[in-house]
Amino acid sequence: AQSVSQHNHHVILSEAASLELGCNYSYGGTVNLFWYVQYPGQHLQLLLKYFSGDPLVKGIKGFEAEFIKSKFSFNLRKPSVQWSDTAEYFCAVNPGGGADGLTFGKGTHLIIQP
Amino acid sequence: EPEVTQTPSHQVTQMGQEVILRCVPISNHLYFYWYRQILGQKVEFLVSFYNNEISEKSEIFDDQFSVERPDGSNFTLKIRSTKLEDSAMYFCASTGQGGGKIYEQYFGPGTRLTVT
C-alpha cells in the first residue's frame, strides 16, 4: 500500500517569504501526485497535479511542484507567499490508473503573517 | 463552475443510530468517492464507486458502512449503527470519465458527523 509523508505540520512565514513544503511518498509503481489546499471554512481544492511528462508542474495561484522520482518526492513551492495563502495543504497520491482512492499526507498548516 | 454538494453540513446523532450522508456529484462524472477526516488527523479514503458498484474500499469501510446511488444524481453513505469513533468530517468526491484518462477528484464541502 502507498503512504505519504509531509514533514512540516505547522509552518509560519511572513508575507513575501519563499515557501517549500515537503512531500514524500512510498509506492513501488507508477503514481499520480496531487497537492490540495483547504482554505479556512472551505472545501479541498486542487492546486496542481502530476501524471507524467515534465516533472515541474505549475498550478494555480503561483504554486509549483517538482516530482523527483529518485527521491520519491513532490515538494510544493511558491516564491513569494501572501497572507491569503494561509490554509491547510495536503499532498496526495494514487496509483497509475488514476481513478483509485487518494492516499493523503497529514497536511501542513501554513500561517502567513502580514 | 460545477460543484459537488453535500447535505447536511452537520449531523448530530446518538450512538447506535443509523445515519445517511448525502452527496450530489458533478453531473457528468462517473467515479464517486467517500473520505473521512477525524479531527486532527489526515483525510482517509473509505470507498470508491463506479458503474453502480464498489470498485475499491479501505479497511475502514467495514460492514457498518454502505454506499448507494439511488437515482441519477445522489450518492449516499450509510452508517448502520454509529459509534463514537465515527465522529469525523465526511467528504464526498467525484471525477470524470475513465478510459485511461486521469482526472482530478473534486471534493464537496463535507458533512461533520458528531456521534454522542
Side-chain angles (χ1 to χ4, degrees):
Chain A
Q2 59 268 28
S3 65
V4 178
S5 297
Q6 290 183 243
H7 317 297
N8 314 100
H9 298 303
H10 289 92
V11 173
I12 301 174
L13 295 172
S14 298
E15 276 194 312
S18 65
L19 169 72
E20 181 159 1
L21 301 182
C23 172
N24 285 89
Y25 68 93
S26 163
Y27 184 69
T30 305
V31 292
N32 310 300
L33 298 151
F34 307 82
W35 275 97
Y36 280 84
V37 61
Q38 188 173 30
Y39 298 104
Q42 297 188 28
H43 55 91
L44 287 160
Q45 301 173 41
L46 185 71
L47 271 181
L48 46 76
K49 58 185 183 278
Y50 172 80
F51 298 145
S52 63
D54 188 344
L56 183 63
V57 292
K58 295 192 183 300
I60 61 171
K61 306 188 181 191
F63 286 90
E64 63 178 33
E66 185 175 12
F67 170 52
I68 303 180
K69 190 175 180 180
S70 61
K71 294 185 178 180
F72 297 90
S73 70
F74 190 58
N75 292 354
L76 181 71
R77 300 194 293 246
K78 184 169 184 178
S80 176
V81 295
Q82 301 170 302
W83 176 79
S84 57
D85 293 325
T86 294
E88 191 89 19
Y89 292 81
F90 296 93
C91 182
V93 303
N94 70 356
D100 289 8
L102 294 168
T103 298
F104 283 85
K106 288 188 174 181
T108 296
H109 187 201
L110 175 66
I111 297 173
I112 306 301
Q113 296 177 330
Chain B
E1 186 176 331
E3 290 184 335
V4 176
T5 59
Q6 291 185 244
T7 54
S9 57
H10 191 190
Q11 172 94 45
V12 181
T13 189
Q14 288 189 327
M15 198 167 50
Q17 295 296 303
E18 175 184 284
V19 294
I20 298 176
L21 309 183
R22 291 182 168 79
C23 168
V24 179
I26 293 173
S27 63
N28 63 345
H29 284 183
L30 298 178
Y31 290 85
F32 315 114
Y33 308 83
W34 283 102
Y35 295 83
R36 78 171 185 192
Q37 185 179 28
I38 295 171
L39 189 63
Q41 298 186 26
K42 63 181 178 181
V43 177
E44 300 173 290
F45 167 72
L46 293 178
V47 65
S48 60
F49 192 85
Y50 171 72
N51 200 26
N52 281 320
E53 61 183 25
I54 290 173
S55 56
E56 185 190 11
K57 61 183 181 180
S58 71
E59 292 175 352
I60 302 167
F61 193 87
D62 61 21
D63 292 344
Q64 289 291 95
F65 292 91
S66 62
V67 289
E68 195 177 37
R69 188 154 164 83
D71 52 43
S73 60
N74 290 282
F75 179 51
T76 62
L77 174 70
K78 183 193 291 187
I79 308 175
R80 256 179 277 281
S81 177
T82 51
K83 300 179 281 222
L84 292 176
E85 52 265 39
D86 293 327
S87 294
M89 182 73 93
Y90 288 81
F91 295 103
C92 175
S94 68
T95 194
Q97 296 89 341
K101 192 168 181 182
I102 297 161
Y103 291 76
E104 69 179 88
Q105 293 182 24
Y106 291 81
F107 283 80
T111 292
R112 180 165 296 286
L113 177 65
T114 302
V115 182
T116 62

